[in-house]
Amino acid sequence: MNVINIQSLNPEKFGSRRVGHKKQNKQQLDLFAEGKVLQLHSQSVFEEALMLDEKGNTEEACRLYHKAAKEEEHAADAYCNLGILKCREGKMAEAVHFLTLGLKHNPRHLEAHFNLANLYAETGNLKLGKLHYEVCIKIEPEFTNSYFNLGLTLAAAQKYEEAIEILKQYSERVSPEDGKDATDMILKLQLMLNSTPKCG
């Protein structure tokens, strides 16, 4: 029996997706690109927590994420980022707790679903990992890491045909260079599928 080990496959695809600053619309002109940015107001509690988190000051970031969530300021984002920090500490039950609190505040929170999917897949709960990746794809069809990770999860569950189909969808959405890992994986899965004895 051939089993795919998720940890041995392109580990950078798996991993947390922190909720950060909202990106500017690229179609919008940046009229102040050459100007100086003046801080007209202090940072929000969530923004402060994010800044500390990005600098590696996790203890203070945790405290401020808790405060932001309690004050209902980007609560889903704050809980999601708390979940990531707990996951990095190896506190999986707490990580699930905070990520699901994020979903309680926003059931369509992409990052919370994606991080839960990664957590479940990495700890061997492939069914729940699969479910959350599928939800990610429904929420944001252009977020390609969901397809790739779902393909790996399906392969680990020995659902090779489904894995091949999802990895093909991933390859169609990314550049040939970015799709190389998926193409290699598809070839391996096709070989495994062809070498698996058919029953009946």
Side-chain angles (χ1 to χ4, degrees):
M1 172 177 15
N2 294 313
V3 179
I4 302 278
N5 179 1
I6 288 177
Q7 272 73 12
S8 69
L9 301 168
N10 201 350
E12 67 267 8
K13 293 286 184 201
F14 278 100
S16 54
R17 178 179 156 110
R18 180 189 297 129
V19 181
H21 304 287
K22 302 300 174 197
K23 292 188 172 96
Q24 179 182 347
N25 182 349
K26 294 293 183 195
Q27 295 175 333
Q28 185 177 353
L29 289 175
D30 186 1
L31 300 176
F32 303 101
E34 300 299 318
K36 213 177 207 182
V37 177
L38 299 175
Q39 188 83 16
L40 298 177
H41 59 84
S42 64
Q43 288 182 317
S44 71
V45 176
F46 176 80
E47 289 169 336
E48 217 176 314
L50 181 62
M51 185 183 70
L52 290 166
D53 187 357
E54 289 170 345
K55 288 182 178 179
N57 186 346
T58 55
E59 191 175 319
E60 188 61 15
C62 273
R63 188 184 72 75
L64 290 176
Y65 282 139
H66 277 288
K67 183 177 180 186
K70 187 177 178 185
E71 293 174 1
E72 296 289 320
E73 179 198 312
H74 303 284
D77 296 343
Y79 282 129
C80 180
N81 289 356
L82 276 167
I84 292 168
L85 291 175
K86 293 303 173 187
C87 189
R88 288 180 185 159
E89 292 173 12
K91 298 177 180 177
M92 299 309 182
E94 285 185 62
V96 170
H97 171 72
F98 285 121
L99 290 168
T100 53
L101 278 175
L103 291 177
K104 180 181 176 188
H105 283 269
N106 178 1
R108 293 180 53 79
H109 195 275
L110 175 68
E111 290 86 355
H113 280 290
F114 185 72
N115 290 310
L116 273 171
N118 288 341
L119 189 150
Y120 287 133
E122 289 173 0
T123 57
N125 191 334
L126 302 178
K127 238 181 208 179
L128 280 177
K130 175 182 180 286
L131 172 69
H132 283 281
Y133 287 131
E134 289 171 341
V135 171
C136 287
I137 290 169
K138 292 288 185 198
I139 293 170
E140 182 51 66
E142 296 311 309
F143 179 54
T144 56
N145 282 359
S146 298
Y147 295 88
F148 188 86
N149 290 6
L150 176 56
L152 295 183
T153 302
L154 289 166
Q158 298 180 15
K159 297 184 178 188
Y160 302 140
E161 289 179 10
E162 289 177 58
I164 290 167
E165 182 54 40
I166 288 293
L167 290 168
K168 283 180 180 175
Q169 290 179 43
Y170 169 80
S171 295
E172 291 167 4
R173 288 171 165 76
V174 297
S175 69
E177 184 181 318
D178 289 342
K180 187 180 178 333
D181 288 341
T183 303
D184 293 345
M185 176 63 104
I186 289 167
L187 293 172
K188 288 176 189 171
L189 291 172
Q190 286 171 334
L191 286 172
M192 291 170 74
L193 195 58
N194 293 335
S195 68
T196 304
K198 304 277 190 262
C199 295

